[in-house]
Amino acid sequence: MTALTVLGAALLGALTWTFMEYCIHRWLGHRWKRNVFGKEHTRHHSEGDYFAATPKKLGAASLFLAVTAPPAIWVAGALAGGAWAVGLVGFYGYYEWLHRRAHTHGPRNAYGRWVRRHHFHHHFGDPRMNHGVTSPLWDAVFGTLQEPGQIRVPRKLCMVWLKGPDGEIPPAFQADYALRGR
Ligand SMILES: [Zn+2]
Ligand SMILES: [Zn+2]
């Protein structure tokens, strides 16, 4: 029972993170941009391979833990509340890794392909769509889920993994992506 409680609470924490991931990206990244995250995010969009420095992300993780753990422990007790907060912050860490990996490395499975197409449609197709990175859940809930067609990537922002030795897109990715501009 205890193990089940801990597991359930941690999963709920991960789910809570996916909601925060959506809200932070959509509203702090794209709507009210004059905040620390908004500034970093604008730069991420314009430079493509720019990511906020690791200490800032560790700062964000500490902040998430500091604001979520005490009330959760107060409401649900040390075990369930603590597991929920750890699940939330742990999944935040997974999101950071997954997002960076999507930009730096090619897909290795169907989920990896989906993550990249979903996210690069947000970057290069329509930035008002596909705010979730780890899942389509909240985009579906809020009506911002869009199925990308062939994604047209600006040549100067093209991800390294999408470029063959000749600077063009390898045949394996041509159905999913095309280059535009010079
Ligand atoms: Zn990105
Ligand atoms: Zn964005």
Side-chain angles (χ1 to χ4, degrees):
M1 192 59 207
T2 308
L4 215 61
T5 305
V6 168
L7 186 69
L11 286 175
L12 203 63
L15 183 70
T16 309
W17 165 257
T18 64
F19 180 65
M20 289 172 64
E21 173 191 304
Y22 183 90
C23 294
I24 292 170
H25 185 191
R26 178 169 179 185
W27 286 294
L28 295 182
H30 287 275
R31 177 91 194 227
W32 303 290
K33 300 182 192 179
R34 297 172 75 172
N35 59 78
V36 181
F37 177 79
K39 285 185 186 130
E40 296 282 5
H41 193 66
T42 300
R43 202 170 154 194
H44 172 63
H45 269 268
S46 62
E47 295 177 28
D49 57 356
Y50 172 79
F51 293 90
T54 306
K56 285 186 187 169
K57 296 187 191 302
L58 292 176
S62 314
L63 181 73
F64 295 145
L65 198 61
V67 295
T68 59
I73 289 168
W74 187 66
V75 171
L79 205 61
W84 176 80
V86 167
L88 189 158
V89 176
F91 212 67
Y92 161 71
Y94 172 69
Y95 149 81
E96 286 287 7
W97 175 83
L98 187 73
H99 178 218
R100 187 179 289 244
R101 191 89 189 164
H103 280 268
T104 57
H105 291 74
R108 285 197 300 199
N109 52 43
Y111 175 66
R113 175 173 176 251
W114 175 85
V115 165
R116 283 160 183 76
R117 286 179 46 72
H118 182 77
H119 185 60
F120 292 121
H121 177 64
H122 168 79
H123 268 272
F124 307 126
D126 189 343
R128 296 166 305 175
M129 295 290 152
N130 297 2
H131 296 284
V133 171
T134 55
S135 91
L137 176 64
W138 301 103
D139 281 302
V141 170
F142 289 106
T144 54
L145 182 61
Q146 205 165 63
E147 177 61 38
Q150 190 194 43
I151 298 165
R152 293 169 53 77
V153 182
R155 200 172 278 273
K156 62 178 170 47
L157 292 176
C158 186
M159 299 74 81
V160 279
W161 61 263
L162 191 57
K163 263 191 247 175
D166 59 352
E168 300 298 323
I169 293 180
F173 293 124
Q174 283 175 5
D176 286 350
Y177 302 93
L179 290 173
R180 63 176 150 97
R182 284 185 294 135

